[in-house]
PDB file of all heavy atoms in Angstrom:
ATOM      1  N   ILE A 296       4.585 -55.696  17.030  1.00  0.00           N
ATOM      2  CA  ILE A 296       5.837 -55.991  17.726  1.00  0.00           C
ATOM      3  C   ILE A 296       6.328 -57.305  17.137  1.00  0.00           C
ATOM      4  O   ILE A 296       6.011 -58.392  17.608  1.00  0.00           O
ATOM      5  CB  ILE A 296       5.642 -56.094  19.247  1.00  0.00           C
ATOM      6  CG1 ILE A 296       4.856 -54.890  19.761  1.00  0.00           C
ATOM      7  CG2 ILE A 296       6.991 -56.211  19.946  1.00  0.00           C
ATOM      8  CD1 ILE A 296       5.515 -53.551  19.491  1.00  0.00           C
ATOM      9  N   ALA A 297       7.095 -57.195  16.061  1.00  0.00           N
ATOM     10  CA  ALA A 297       7.392 -58.337  15.190  1.00  0.00           C
ATOM     11  C   ALA A 297       8.568 -59.148  15.706  1.00  0.00           C
ATOM     12  O   ALA A 297       9.645 -59.199  15.100  1.00  0.00           O
ATOM     13  CB  ALA A 297       7.649 -57.850  13.762  1.00  0.00           C
ATOM     14  N   THR A 298       8.365 -59.824  16.830  1.00  0.00           N
ATOM     15  CA  THR A 298       9.432 -60.617  17.422  1.00  0.00           C
ATOM     16  C   THR A 298       9.804 -61.828  16.572  1.00  0.00           C
ATOM     17  O   THR A 298      10.815 -62.476  16.827  1.00  0.00           O
ATOM     18  CB  THR A 298       9.015 -61.108  18.815  1.00  0.00           C
ATOM     19  OG1 THR A 298       7.765 -61.807  18.719  1.00  0.00           O
ATOM     20  CG2 THR A 298       8.834 -59.939  19.761  1.00  0.00           C
ATOM     21  N   SER A 299       9.009 -62.108  15.563  1.00  0.00           N
ATOM     22  CA  SER A 299       9.282 -63.251  14.680  1.00  0.00           C
ATOM     23  C   SER A 299      10.273 -62.929  13.570  1.00  0.00           C
ATOM     24  O   SER A 299      10.784 -63.848  12.912  1.00  0.00           O
ATOM     25  CB  SER A 299       7.973 -63.718  14.032  1.00  0.00           C
ATOM     26  OG  SER A 299       7.402 -62.656  13.273  1.00  0.00           O
ATOM     27  N   GLU A 300      10.574 -61.646  13.362  1.00  0.00           N
ATOM     28  CA  GLU A 300      11.323 -61.242  12.171  1.00  0.00           C
ATOM     29  C   GLU A 300      12.835 -61.327  12.370  1.00  0.00           C
ATOM     30  O   GLU A 300      13.548 -60.330  12.298  1.00  0.00           O
ATOM     31  CB  GLU A 300      10.921 -59.831  11.762  1.00  0.00           C
ATOM     32  CG  GLU A 300       9.445 -59.703  11.419  1.00  0.00           C
ATOM     33  CD  GLU A 300       9.038 -60.663  10.303  1.00  0.00           C
ATOM     34  OE1 GLU A 300       9.319 -60.373   9.138  1.00  0.00           O
ATOM     35  OE2 GLU A 300       8.438 -61.709  10.622  1.00  0.00           O
ATOM     36  N   VAL A 301      13.320 -62.541  12.603  1.00  0.00           N
ATOM     37  CA  VAL A 301      14.766 -62.741  12.741  1.00  0.00           C
ATOM     38  C   VAL A 301      15.474 -62.707  11.394  1.00  0.00           C
ATOM     39  O   VAL A 301      16.685 -62.468  11.325  1.00  0.00           O
ATOM     40  CB  VAL A 301      15.083 -64.069  13.457  1.00  0.00           C
ATOM     41  CG1 VAL A 301      14.572 -64.050  14.885  1.00  0.00           C
ATOM     42  CG2 VAL A 301      14.496 -65.264  12.697  1.00  0.00           C
ATOM     43  N   ALA A 302      14.755 -62.971  10.308  1.00  0.00           N
ATOM     44  CA  ALA A 302      15.365 -62.939   8.974  1.00  0.00           C
ATOM     45  C   ALA A 302      15.586 -61.495   8.560  1.00  0.00           C
ATOM     46  O   ALA A 302      14.670 -60.680   8.609  1.00  0.00           O
ATOM     47  CB  ALA A 302      14.469 -63.649   7.958  1.00  0.00           C
ATOM     48  N   PRO A 303      16.797 -61.128   8.158  1.00  0.00           N
ATOM     49  CA  PRO A 303      17.066 -59.740   7.762  1.00  0.00           C
ATOM     50  C   PRO A 303      16.431 -59.395   6.424  1.00  0.00           C
ATOM     51  O   PRO A 303      16.050 -60.283   5.640  1.00  0.00           O
ATOM     52  CB  PRO A 303      18.596 -59.688   7.675  1.00  0.00           C
ATOM     53  CG  PRO A 303      18.993 -61.082   7.333  1.00  0.00           C
ATOM     54  CD  PRO A 303      18.010 -61.977   8.045  1.00  0.00           C
ATOM     55  N   LEU A 304      16.318 -58.100   6.161  1.00  0.00           N
ATOM     56  CA  LEU A 304      15.812 -57.645   4.868  1.00  0.00           C
ATOM     57  C   LEU A 304      16.690 -58.163   3.732  1.00  0.00           C
ATOM     58  O   LEU A 304      16.188 -58.573   2.683  1.00  0.00           O
ATOM     59  CB  LEU A 304      15.777 -56.116   4.846  1.00  0.00           C
ATOM     60  CG  LEU A 304      15.427 -55.459   3.507  1.00  0.00           C
ATOM     61  CD1 LEU A 304      14.001 -55.813   3.112  1.00  0.00           C
ATOM     62  CD2 LEU A 304      15.588 -53.940   3.600  1.00  0.00           C
ATOM     63  N   ALA A 305      17.984 -58.161   3.960  1.00  0.00           N
ATOM     64  CA  ALA A 305      18.932 -58.590   2.915  1.00  0.00           C
ATOM     65  C   ALA A 305      19.100 -60.097   2.951  1.00  0.00           C
ATOM     66  O   ALA A 305      20.096 -60.638   3.443  1.00  0.00           O
ATOM     67  CB  ALA A 305      20.275 -57.906   3.123  1.00  0.00           C
ATOM     68  N   MET A 306      18.108 -60.808   2.420  1.00  0.00           N
ATOM     69  CA  MET A 306      18.195 -62.261   2.311  1.00  0.00           C
ATOM     70  C   MET A 306      18.864 -62.642   0.993  1.00  0.00           C
ATOM     71  O   MET A 306      18.826 -61.875   0.028  1.00  0.00           O
ATOM     72  CB  MET A 306      16.793 -62.873   2.369  1.00  0.00           C
ATOM     73  CG  MET A 306      16.171 -62.844   3.744  1.00  0.00           C
ATOM     74  SD  MET A 306      16.946 -64.011   4.886  1.00  0.00           S
ATOM     75  CE  MET A 306      16.283 -65.575   4.264  1.00  0.00           C
ATOM     76  N   PRO A 307      19.491 -63.819   0.945  1.00  0.00           N
ATOM     77  CA  PRO A 307      20.072 -64.271  -0.323  1.00  0.00           C
ATOM     78  C   PRO A 307      19.026 -64.283  -1.436  1.00  0.00           C
ATOM     79  O   PRO A 307      17.880 -64.673  -1.221  1.00  0.00           O
ATOM     80  CB  PRO A 307      20.545 -65.693   0.005  1.00  0.00           C
ATOM     81  CG  PRO A 307      20.783 -65.685   1.477  1.00  0.00           C
ATOM     82  CD  PRO A 307      19.740 -64.768   2.041  1.00  0.00           C
ATOM     83  N   GLY A 308      19.409 -63.822  -2.613  1.00  0.00           N
ATOM     84  CA  GLY A 308      18.479 -63.774  -3.739  1.00  0.00           C
ATOM     85  C   GLY A 308      17.733 -62.472  -3.873  1.00  0.00           C
ATOM     86  O   GLY A 308      16.997 -62.271  -4.849  1.00  0.00           O
ATOM     87  N   LEU A 309      17.908 -61.563  -2.905  1.00  0.00           N
ATOM     88  CA  LEU A 309      17.185 -60.293  -2.953  1.00  0.00           C
ATOM     89  C   LEU A 309      17.508 -59.513  -4.228  1.00  0.00           C
ATOM     90  O   LEU A 309      16.619 -58.944  -4.864  1.00  0.00           O
ATOM     91  CB  LEU A 309      17.536 -59.453  -1.728  1.00  0.00           C
ATOM     92  CG  LEU A 309      16.988 -58.023  -1.691  1.00  0.00           C
ATOM     93  CD1 LEU A 309      15.467 -58.037  -1.587  1.00  0.00           C
ATOM     94  CD2 LEU A 309      17.591 -57.239  -0.540  1.00  0.00           C
ATOM     95  N   LEU A 310      18.776 -59.500  -4.625  1.00  0.00           N
ATOM     96  CA  LEU A 310      19.200 -58.708  -5.772  1.00  0.00           C
ATOM     97  C   LEU A 310      18.440 -59.098  -7.036  1.00  0.00           C
ATOM     98  O   LEU A 310      18.061 -58.230  -7.841  1.00  0.00           O
ATOM     99  CB  LEU A 310      20.700 -58.876  -5.996  1.00  0.00           C
ATOM    100  CG  LEU A 310      21.307 -58.114  -7.180  1.00  0.00           C
ATOM    101  CD1 LEU A 310      21.144 -56.613  -6.967  1.00  0.00           C
ATOM    102  CD2 LEU A 310      22.776 -58.469  -7.350  1.00  0.00           C
ATOM    103  N   TRP A 311      18.182 -60.387  -7.209  1.00  0.00           N
ATOM    104  CA  TRP A 311      17.537 -60.855  -8.437  1.00  0.00           C
ATOM    105  C   TRP A 311      16.058 -60.505  -8.479  1.00  0.00           C
ATOM    106  O   TRP A 311      15.432 -60.565  -9.544  1.00  0.00           O
ATOM    107  CB  TRP A 311      17.730 -62.359  -8.582  1.00  0.00           C
ATOM    108  CG  TRP A 311      19.172 -62.751  -8.436  1.00  0.00           C
ATOM    109  CD1 TRP A 311      19.740 -63.487  -7.441  1.00  0.00           C
ATOM    110  CD2 TRP A 311      20.250 -62.371  -9.311  1.00  0.00           C
ATOM    111  NE1 TRP A 311      21.096 -63.592  -7.631  1.00  0.00           N
ATOM    112  CE2 TRP A 311      21.439 -62.921  -8.765  1.00  0.00           C
ATOM    113  CE3 TRP A 311      20.329 -61.610 -10.486  1.00  0.00           C
ATOM    114  CZ2 TRP A 311      22.684 -62.730  -9.371  1.00  0.00           C
ATOM    115  CZ3 TRP A 311      21.568 -61.426 -11.074  1.00  0.00           C
ATOM    116  CH2 TRP A 311      22.720 -61.990 -10.527  1.00  0.00           C
ATOM    117  N   ARG A 312      15.483 -60.132  -7.343  1.00  0.00           N
ATOM    118  CA  ARG A 312      14.072 -59.753  -7.311  1.00  0.00           C
ATOM    119  C   ARG A 312      13.862 -58.256  -7.538  1.00  0.00           C
ATOM    120  O   ARG A 312      12.740 -57.808  -7.759  1.00  0.00           O
ATOM    121  CB  ARG A 312      13.461 -60.143  -5.964  1.00  0.00           C
ATOM    122  CG  ARG A 312      13.427 -61.650  -5.728  1.00  0.00           C
ATOM    123  CD  ARG A 312      12.891 -61.956  -4.357  1.00  0.00           C
ATOM    124  NE  ARG A 312      13.007 -63.385  -4.068  1.00  0.00           N
ATOM    125  CZ  ARG A 312      13.106 -63.891  -2.853  1.00  0.00           C
ATOM    126  NH1 ARG A 312      13.100 -63.078  -1.811  1.00  0.00           N
ATOM    127  NH2 ARG A 312      13.210 -65.189  -2.666  1.00  0.00           N
ATOM    128  N   VAL A 313      14.924 -57.493  -7.440  1.00  0.00           N
ATOM    129  CA  VAL A 313      14.807 -56.041  -7.533  1.00  0.00           C
ATOM    130  C   VAL A 313      14.209 -55.575  -8.858  1.00  0.00           C
ATOM    131  O   VAL A 313      13.310 -54.721  -8.864  1.00  0.00           O
ATOM    132  CB  VAL A 313      16.159 -55.364  -7.273  1.00  0.00           C
ATOM    133  CG1 VAL A 313      16.122 -53.887  -7.648  1.00  0.00           C
ATOM    134  CG2 VAL A 313      16.539 -55.523  -5.805  1.00  0.00           C
ATOM    135  N   PRO A 314      14.651 -56.068 -10.036  1.00  0.00           N
ATOM    136  CA  PRO A 314      14.068 -55.581 -11.291  1.00  0.00           C
ATOM    137  C   PRO A 314      12.551 -55.751 -11.355  1.00  0.00           C
ATOM    138  O   PRO A 314      11.842 -54.831 -11.790  1.00  0.00           O
ATOM    139  CB  PRO A 314      14.770 -56.428 -12.358  1.00  0.00           C
ATOM    140  CG  PRO A 314      16.087 -56.775 -11.746  1.00  0.00           C
ATOM    141  CD  PRO A 314      15.787 -56.994 -10.290  1.00  0.00           C
ATOM    142  N   ALA A 315      12.053 -56.898 -10.903  1.00  0.00           N
ATOM    143  CA  ALA A 315      10.605 -57.119 -10.925  1.00  0.00           C
ATOM    144  C   ALA A 315       9.891 -56.180  -9.962  1.00  0.00           C
ATOM    145  O   ALA A 315       8.792 -55.679 -10.251  1.00  0.00           O
ATOM    146  CB  ALA A 315      10.300 -58.573 -10.571  1.00  0.00           C
ATOM    147  N   MET A 316      10.501 -55.907  -8.799  1.00  0.00           N
ATOM    148  CA  MET A 316       9.903 -54.974  -7.847  1.00  0.00           C
ATOM    149  C   MET A 316       9.807 -53.569  -8.432  1.00  0.00           C
ATOM    150  O   MET A 316       8.800 -52.876  -8.286  1.00  0.00           O
ATOM    151  CB  MET A 316      10.736 -54.932  -6.561  1.00  0.00           C
ATOM    152  CG  MET A 316      10.721 -56.188  -5.734  1.00  0.00           C
ATOM    153  SD  MET A 316      11.751 -55.967  -4.252  1.00  0.00           S
ATOM    154  CE  MET A 316      11.713 -57.627  -3.561  1.00  0.00           C
ATOM    155  N   LEU A 317      10.878 -53.148  -9.123  1.00  0.00           N
ATOM    156  CA  LEU A 317      10.894 -51.810  -9.708  1.00  0.00           C
ATOM    157  C   LEU A 317       9.893 -51.677 -10.852  1.00  0.00           C
ATOM    158  O   LEU A 317       9.335 -50.607 -11.086  1.00  0.00           O
ATOM    159  CB  LEU A 317      12.301 -51.469 -10.205  1.00  0.00           C
ATOM    160  CG  LEU A 317      13.361 -51.250  -9.132  1.00  0.00           C
ATOM    161  CD1 LEU A 317      14.735 -51.092  -9.773  1.00  0.00           C
ATOM    162  CD2 LEU A 317      13.036 -50.031  -8.284  1.00  0.00           C
ATOM    163  N   ALA A 318       9.672 -52.776 -11.586  1.00  0.00           N
ATOM    164  CA  ALA A 318       8.761 -52.749 -12.725  1.00  0.00           C
ATOM    165  C   ALA A 318       7.294 -52.774 -12.308  1.00  0.00           C
ATOM    166  O   ALA A 318       6.419 -52.405 -13.093  1.00  0.00           O
ATOM    167  CB  ALA A 318       9.052 -53.918 -13.655  1.00  0.00           C
ATOM    168  N   ASP A 319       7.033 -53.190 -11.072  1.00  0.00           N
ATOM    169  CA  ASP A 319       5.658 -53.308 -10.592  1.00  0.00           C
ATOM    170  C   ASP A 319       5.240 -52.007  -9.916  1.00  0.00           C
ATOM    171  O   ASP A 319       5.774 -51.641  -8.859  1.00  0.00           O
ATOM    172  CB  ASP A 319       5.565 -54.469  -9.599  1.00  0.00           C
ATOM    173  CG  ASP A 319       4.141 -54.718  -9.121  1.00  0.00           C
ATOM    174  OD1 ASP A 319       3.242 -53.935  -9.491  1.00  0.00           O
ATOM    175  OD2 ASP A 319       3.930 -55.689  -8.372  1.00  0.00           O
ATOM    176  N   PRO A 320       4.264 -51.266 -10.482  1.00  0.00           N
ATOM    177  CA  PRO A 320       3.857 -49.989  -9.870  1.00  0.00           C
ATOM    178  C   PRO A 320       3.224 -50.150  -8.499  1.00  0.00           C
ATOM    179  O   PRO A 320       3.161 -49.191  -7.726  1.00  0.00           O
ATOM    180  CB  PRO A 320       2.857 -49.416 -10.881  1.00  0.00           C
ATOM    181  CG  PRO A 320       2.363 -50.595 -11.651  1.00  0.00           C
ATOM    182  CD  PRO A 320       3.511 -51.568 -11.711  1.00  0.00           C
ATOM    183  N   THR A 321       2.751 -51.355  -8.169  1.00  0.00           N
ATOM    184  CA  THR A 321       2.174 -51.603  -6.848  1.00  0.00           C
ATOM    185  C   THR A 321       3.136 -52.370  -5.955  1.00  0.00           C
ATOM    186  O   THR A 321       2.753 -52.814  -4.874  1.00  0.00           O
ATOM    187  CB  THR A 321       0.857 -52.387  -6.979  1.00  0.00           C
ATOM    188  OG1 THR A 321       1.125 -53.693  -7.529  1.00  0.00           O
ATOM    189  CG2 THR A 321      -0.134 -51.660  -7.866  1.00  0.00           C
ATOM    190  N   GLY A 322       4.370 -52.549  -6.400  1.00  0.00           N
ATOM    191  CA  GLY A 322       5.348 -53.328  -5.648  1.00  0.00           C
ATOM    192  C   GLY A 322       5.905 -52.586  -4.447  1.00  0.00           C
ATOM    193  O   GLY A 322       5.614 -51.411  -4.227  1.00  0.00           O
ATOM    194  N   PRO A 323       6.753 -53.259  -3.664  1.00  0.00           N
ATOM    195  CA  PRO A 323       7.249 -52.674  -2.414  1.00  0.00           C
ATOM    196  C   PRO A 323       8.459 -51.766  -2.590  1.00  0.00           C
ATOM    197  O   PRO A 323       8.950 -51.208  -1.609  1.00  0.00           O
ATOM    198  CB  PRO A 323       7.649 -53.916  -1.601  1.00  0.00           C
ATOM    199  CG  PRO A 323       8.087 -54.902  -2.645  1.00  0.00           C
ATOM    200  CD  PRO A 323       7.190 -54.665  -3.838  1.00  0.00           C
ATOM    201  N   LEU A 324       8.937 -51.599  -3.823  1.00  0.00           N
ATOM    202  CA  LEU A 324      10.171 -50.843  -4.034  1.00  0.00           C
ATOM    203  C   LEU A 324       9.986 -49.814  -5.144  1.00  0.00           C
ATOM    204  O   LEU A 324       9.453 -50.124  -6.215  1.00  0.00           O
ATOM    205  CB  LEU A 324      11.313 -51.798  -4.406  1.00  0.00           C
ATOM    206  CG  LEU A 324      12.698 -51.178  -4.588  1.00  0.00           C
ATOM    207  CD1 LEU A 324      13.184 -50.555  -3.283  1.00  0.00           C
ATOM    208  CD2 LEU A 324      13.691 -52.237  -5.080  1.00  0.00           C
ATOM    209  N   ALA A 325      10.415 -48.599  -4.876  1.00  0.00           N
ATOM    210  CA  ALA A 325      10.413 -47.529  -5.878  1.00  0.00           C
ATOM    211  C   ALA A 325      11.737 -46.793  -5.771  1.00  0.00           C
ATOM    212  O   ALA A 325      12.336 -46.714  -4.695  1.00  0.00           O
ATOM    213  CB  ALA A 325       9.246 -46.566  -5.664  1.00  0.00           C
ATOM    214  N   LEU A 326      12.212 -46.259  -6.896  1.00  0.00           N
ATOM    215  CA  LEU A 326      13.521 -45.612  -6.907  1.00  0.00           C
ATOM    216  C   LEU A 326      13.494 -44.404  -7.831  1.00  0.00           C
ATOM    217  O   LEU A 326      13.062 -44.503  -8.982  1.00  0.00           O
ATOM    218  CB  LEU A 326      14.593 -46.609  -7.377  1.00  0.00           C
ATOM    219  CG  LEU A 326      16.012 -46.071  -7.506  1.00  0.00           C
ATOM    220  CD1 LEU A 326      16.555 -45.656  -6.140  1.00  0.00           C
ATOM    221  CD2 LEU A 326      16.925 -47.130  -8.136  1.00  0.00           C
ATOM    222  N   ARG A 327      13.937 -43.264  -7.305  1.00  0.00           N
ATOM    223  CA  ARG A 327      14.161 -42.096  -8.158  1.00  0.00           C
ATOM    224  C   ARG A 327      15.529 -42.273  -8.809  1.00  0.00           C
ATOM    225  O   ARG A 327      16.551 -42.244  -8.119  1.00  0.00           O
ATOM    226  CB  ARG A 327      14.116 -40.807  -7.332  1.00  0.00           C
ATOM    227  CG  ARG A 327      12.752 -40.496  -6.751  1.00  0.00           C
ATOM    228  CD  ARG A 327      12.777 -39.116  -6.083  1.00  0.00           C
ATOM    229  NE  ARG A 327      11.470 -38.770  -5.547  1.00  0.00           N
ATOM    230  CZ  ARG A 327      11.088 -38.984  -4.296  1.00  0.00           C
ATOM    231  NH1 ARG A 327      11.925 -39.563  -3.456  1.00  0.00           N
ATOM    232  NH2 ARG A 327       9.884 -38.622  -3.888  1.00  0.00           N
ATOM    233  N   TRP A 328      15.562 -42.459 -10.114  1.00  0.00           N
ATOM    234  CA  TRP A 328      16.799 -42.847 -10.783  1.00  0.00           C
ATOM    235  C   TRP A 328      17.896 -41.808 -10.626  1.00  0.00           C
ATOM    236  O   TRP A 328      19.086 -42.158 -10.571  1.00  0.00           O
ATOM    237  CB  TRP A 328      16.527 -43.142 -12.259  1.00  0.00           C
ATOM    238  CG  TRP A 328      15.686 -44.364 -12.432  1.00  0.00           C
ATOM    239  CD1 TRP A 328      14.371 -44.420 -12.761  1.00  0.00           C
ATOM    240  CD2 TRP A 328      16.090 -45.719 -12.204  1.00  0.00           C
ATOM    241  NE1 TRP A 328      13.916 -45.725 -12.773  1.00  0.00           N
ATOM    242  CE2 TRP A 328      14.951 -46.537 -12.447  1.00  0.00           C
ATOM    243  CE3 TRP A 328      17.297 -46.314 -11.824  1.00  0.00           C
ATOM    244  CZ2 TRP A 328      15.003 -47.923 -12.310  1.00  0.00           C
ATOM    245  CZ3 TRP A 328      17.343 -47.696 -11.693  1.00  0.00           C
ATOM    246  CH2 TRP A 328      16.199 -48.485 -11.940  1.00  0.00           C
ATOM    247  N   ARG A 329      17.540 -40.539 -10.521  1.00  0.00           N
ATOM    248  CA  ARG A 329      18.579 -39.513 -10.328  1.00  0.00           C
ATOM    249  C   ARG A 329      19.238 -39.637  -8.952  1.00  0.00           C
ATOM    250  O   ARG A 329      20.310 -39.067  -8.713  1.00  0.00           O
ATOM    251  CB  ARG A 329      17.989 -38.124 -10.517  1.00  0.00           C
ATOM    252  CG  ARG A 329      16.933 -37.717  -9.511  1.00  0.00           C
ATOM    253  CD  ARG A 329      16.436 -36.293  -9.784  1.00  0.00           C
ATOM    254  NE  ARG A 329      15.407 -35.870  -8.846  1.00  0.00           N
ATOM    255  CZ  ARG A 329      14.124 -36.137  -8.967  1.00  0.00           C
ATOM    256  NH1 ARG A 329      13.692 -36.836 -10.011  1.00  0.00           N
ATOM    257  NH2 ARG A 329      13.257 -35.708  -8.061  1.00  0.00           N
ATOM    258  N   TYR A 330      18.594 -40.366  -8.062  1.00  0.00           N
ATOM    259  CA  TYR A 330      19.145 -40.569  -6.725  1.00  0.00           C
ATOM    260  C   TYR A 330      20.064 -41.784  -6.663  1.00  0.00           C
ATOM    261  O   TYR A 330      20.752 -42.004  -5.668  1.00  0.00           O
ATOM    262  CB  TYR A 330      17.998 -40.730  -5.725  1.00  0.00           C
ATOM    263  CG  TYR A 330      18.397 -40.647  -4.279  1.00  0.00           C
ATOM    264  CD1 TYR A 330      18.830 -39.441  -3.721  1.00  0.00           C
ATOM    265  CD2 TYR A 330      18.343 -41.758  -3.449  1.00  0.00           C
ATOM    266  CE1 TYR A 330      19.199 -39.352  -2.382  1.00  0.00           C
ATOM    267  CE2 TYR A 330      18.706 -41.690  -2.106  1.00  0.00           C
ATOM    268  CZ  TYR A 330      19.134 -40.470  -1.587  1.00  0.00           C
ATOM    269  OH  TYR A 330      19.492 -40.397  -0.260  1.00  0.00           O
TER     270      TYR A 330
END
């Protein structure tokens, strides 16, 4: 019950971290490119 999570997922700087997340096979983000 994460009452501490007032910070939204979309924090400033998120966009610049996306390439590294996609390149990491164990990272938190995966994308089907056709989607």
Side-chain angles (χ1 to χ4, degrees):
I296 311 300
T298 54
S299 60
E300 299 303 282
V301 296
L304 173 65
M306 287 288 286
L309 173 66
L310 179 63
W311 309 113
R312 295 177 187 154
V313 168
M316 292 180 186
L317 291 173
D319 184 355
T321 64
L324 183 63
L326 177 65
R327 293 186 178 94
W328 293 105
R329 64 179 179 276
Y330 193 69

